[in-house]
C-alpha cells in the first residue's frame, strides 16, 4: 500500500496502517487485538471489534440456554444489561479514565487519550449491553417470529417510540462539546449508559420487524434483488472502509474547502470503492474458504455446483432458502450458488 500513493502527508499512512499490520498482525488474526492500549497497535482498526465479539460469542450459547426458562431467561438478560451498564462506567470512576472524545480536555497525556479511545470504542465491557440486546432480538427472530405484540395501533406505537430513541440519543449527544468539557456529568453519564440501550432498541426493533413481516413496505424494500448481493459484501465493506477513506485523505496534494457537497461526493466514492474491493475479497478469499471448509469437514461434497466451483454472479444472489434437512432441524451448509438457494 505505501507504494500506491504519494503526497505531502502520505508518510502518515505507513505510520497509521502499514506499521501496525507489520508489527501486530497476530493479535488481529488470533482475536486479542482488543487488549491493545492504542489503535496505533491494531492492524486494520475496525477489526478490533471482531476480537471483542469473538469473546462475547463464546458466552452466547450459555446466555441463550437460559431462555429455556422464561423467568431465568428474563433474570439473566436483564441482569447482563444492568451489569454491562455498570461495567461501562467503571473505567471512568474506578480507573479515572476520561471518555474520549467527549472529555478530551481532561486527558493528562496523549497515551491516555489513545487508551481511552480504544477502550471505550471496543472493550468487552463497552459492548456487553448491545451484544445481549442483539442476542435477544436474534432469539425473537428465530424462535418467536409470530409473537403477538398487539394490533395495528400497538405496532405503530412501537415503530414510532422505538425508532425515535436513536434520534433522541443523537440530539442528547449534541450538548456535549469535547473541547469545552463544561457539561453536566450526571447528564453525560446518563446518556453514556442509556444511549447503548436506546440505539440497540431502535435498530433491534427495525431488524425484528423487517425479518418478521411487520414492516410493511420496508420489508419489501429489503427484499429488492439488487440489495441482496450488496448485503453479502457489507461486512467486508465495514472492515476495509477506513483504509480506503484514509488512502484518499492522506494522498491529497493540496488543501481545499470541506463543503457538504465535497463530503457527500467523497463518501459516495469511498462506498463504491469499498464495495468493489469487497467483491474482489469475496472472490479471492471468502468463497474459496467456504469450499475449503466444506472439503475439510466433508460437508456434502456432492453439492458442488454444475460449473465446477467457478465463481458466478449468482453467488451473491442467493436468498438463504432452507433445504429439506434444515427444515427438519439438521443444519447443512449449501453452496452460495446452489440451485436450491438460487432465486
Amino acid at each position: 500500500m505505501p507504494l500506491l500513493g504519494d503526497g505531502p502527508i502520505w508518510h502518515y499512512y505507513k505510520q497509521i496502517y502499514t506499521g501496525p499490520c507489520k508489527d501486530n498482525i497476530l493479535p488481529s488474526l488470533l482475536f486479542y487485538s482488543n487488549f491493545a492500549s492504542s489503535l496505533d497497535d491494531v492492524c486494520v482498526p475496525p477489526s478490533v471489534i471482531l476480537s471483542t465479539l469473538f469473546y462475547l460469542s463464546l458466552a452466547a450459547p450459555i446466555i441463550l440456554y437460559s431462555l429455556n426458562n422464561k423467568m431465568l431467561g428474563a433474570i439473566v438478560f436483564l441482569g447482563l444489561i444492568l451489569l454491562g451498564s455498570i461495567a461501562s462506567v467503571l473505567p471512568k470512576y474506578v480507573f479515572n479514565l476520561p471518555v474520549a472524545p467527549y472529555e478530551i480536555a481532561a486527558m493528562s497525556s496523549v497515551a491516555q487519550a489513545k487508551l481511552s479511545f480504544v477502550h471505550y470504542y471496543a472493550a468487552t465491557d463497552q459492548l456487553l449491553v448491545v451484544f445481549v440486546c442483539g442476542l435477544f432480538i436474534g432469539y425473537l427472530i428465530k424462535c418467536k417470529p409470530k409473537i403477538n405484540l398487539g394490533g395495528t395501533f400497538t405496532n405503530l406505537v412501537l415503530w414510532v417510540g422505538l425508532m425515535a430513541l436513536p434520534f433522541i440519543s443523537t440530539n442528547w449527544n449534541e450538548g456535549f462539546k469535547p473541547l469545552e468539557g463544561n457539561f453536566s456529568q450526571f447528564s453525560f453519564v446518563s446518556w453514556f449508559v442509556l444511549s447503548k440501550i436506546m440505539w440497540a432498541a431502535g435498530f433491534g426493533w427495525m431488524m425484528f420487524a423487517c425479518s418478521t413481516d411487520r414492516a410493511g413496505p420496508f420489508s419489501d424494500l429489503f427484499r429488492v434483488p439488487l440489495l441482496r448481493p450488496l448485503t453479502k459484501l457489507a461486512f467486508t465493506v465495514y472492515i476495509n472502509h477506513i483504509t480506503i477513506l484514509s488512502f484518499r485523505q492522506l494522498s491529497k496534494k493540496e488543501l481545499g474547502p470541506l463543503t457538504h457537497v465535497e463530503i457527500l461526493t467523497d463518501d459516495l466514492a469511498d462506498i463504491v470503492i469499498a464495495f468493489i474491493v469487497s467483491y474482489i475479497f469475496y472472490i479471492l478469499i471468502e468463497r474459496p474458504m467456504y469450499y475449503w471448509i466444506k472439503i475439510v469437514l466433508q460437508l456434502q461434497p456432492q453439492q458442488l455446483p454444475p460449473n465446477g466451483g467457478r465463481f458466478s454472479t449468482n453467488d451473491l444472489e442467493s436468498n438463504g432458502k432452507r433445504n429439506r434437512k434444515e427444515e427438519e432441524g439438521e443444519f447443512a451448509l449449501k453452496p452460495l450458488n446452489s440451485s436450491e438457494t438460487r432465486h
Side-chain angles (χ1 to χ4, degrees):
M1 289 296 290
L3 302 177
L4 300 180
D6 57 44
I9 58 174
W10 178 246
H11 60 279
Y12 286 111
Y13 191 92
K14 182 176 181 179
Q15 175 184 332
I16 298 173
Y17 295 103
T18 308
C21 282
K22 181 180 179 181
D23 302 329
N24 302 284
I25 193 169
L26 280 182
S28 292
L29 291 177
L30 299 180
F31 299 113
Y32 62 92
S33 61
N34 57 317
F35 296 107
S37 59
S38 168
L39 284 179
D40 292 344
D41 301 324
V42 177
C43 177
V44 187
S47 68
V48 71
I49 295 290
L50 300 184
S51 299
T52 304
L53 292 179
F54 173 77
Y55 294 106
L56 289 172
S57 297
L58 295 178
I62 300 174
I63 299 173
L64 290 172
Y65 184 78
S66 68
L67 290 171
N68 286 326
N69 182 288
K70 291 184 179 180
M71 182 60 68
L72 177 61
I75 293 174
V76 169
F77 271 77
L78 292 176
L80 286 173
I81 290 175
L82 178 62
L83 176 64
S85 299
I86 296 173
S88 66
V89 295
L90 285 181
K92 174 178 171 63
Y93 290 108
V94 177
F95 301 105
N96 296 316
L97 186 63
V99 180
Y102 303 99
E103 297 180 309
I104 192 69
M107 303 288 180
S108 59
S109 65
V110 174
Q112 186 185 53
K114 291 181 176 181
L115 175 61
S116 174
F117 188 86
V118 71
H119 182 85
Y120 289 112
Y121 170 64
T124 305
D125 54 275
Q126 301 301 315
L127 297 182
L128 179 58
V129 170
V130 292
F131 182 77
V132 171
C133 292
L135 279 183
F136 182 68
I137 295 299
Y139 166 77
L140 292 179
I141 292 173
K142 296 292 292 184
C143 303
K144 303 288 183 181
K146 299 185 182 299
I147 187 173
N148 184 11
L149 297 178
T152 304
F153 178 75
T154 304
N155 278 271
L156 179 61
V157 171
L158 288 171
W159 266 105
V160 174
L162 293 177
M163 291 306 299
L165 293 179
F167 294 97
I168 294 174
S169 174
T170 301
N171 186 66
W172 193 354
N173 172 44
E174 291 296 325
F176 309 126
K177 306 297 183 183
L179 296 180
E180 297 177 7
N182 57 354
F183 43 77
S184 166
Q185 281 295 307
F186 176 79
S187 178
F188 175 70
V189 173
S190 299
W191 167 81
F192 185 76
V193 171
L194 294 177
S195 63
K196 296 178 174 63
I197 301 175
M198 296 168 76
W199 280 90
F203 279 92
W205 167 254
M206 181 191 300
M207 294 173 62
F208 173 74
C210 291
S211 299
T212 56
D213 291 327
R214 300 169 190 264
F218 290 102
S219 296
D220 298 331
L221 175 63
F222 288 116
R223 291 194 185 98
V224 174
L226 178 63
L227 295 180
R228 198 168 295 128
L230 297 182
T231 58
K232 289 183 177 293
L233 299 174
F235 180 72
T236 315
V237 169
Y238 164 73
I239 292 297
N240 70 43
H241 80 280
I242 190 67
T243 307
I244 293 170
L245 184 151
S246 298
F247 184 92
R248 173 178 55 79
Q249 291 282 15
L250 296 176
S251 60
K252 286 187 174 181
K253 303 298 189 297
E254 57 184 16
L255 296 176
L258 192 61
T259 64
H260 288 89
V261 174
E262 183 178 359
I263 293 174
L264 177 61
T265 54
D266 286 347
D267 288 348
L268 289 175
D270 292 339
I271 291 174
V272 171
I273 297 172
F275 271 104
I276 293 173
V277 173
S278 298
Y279 184 72
I280 296 173
F281 282 178
Y282 176 81
I283 297 173
L284 298 180
I285 301 175
E286 288 191 55
R287 190 169 183 273
M289 285 296 298
Y290 175 85
Y291 281 108
W292 290 341
I293 291 173
K294 286 175 66 66
I295 293 172
V296 171
L297 300 181
Q298 296 182 346
L299 295 174
Q300 298 183 348
Q302 73 279 8
Q303 293 292 338
L304 289 175
N307 64 3
R310 295 188 300 275
F311 177 78
S312 167
T313 55
N314 289 326
D315 290 347
L316 297 174
E317 297 177 0
S318 62
N319 63 356
K321 182 179 180 181
R322 293 182 174 183
N323 59 37
R324 184 175 302 173
K325 288 186 177 180
E326 286 175 297
E327 292 174 352
E328 294 173 354
E330 180 182 349
F331 176 77
L333 287 175
K334 300 297 293 180
L336 296 180
N337 63 348
S338 168
S339 59
E340 295 186 27
T341 59
R342 188 179 302 163
H343 221 352

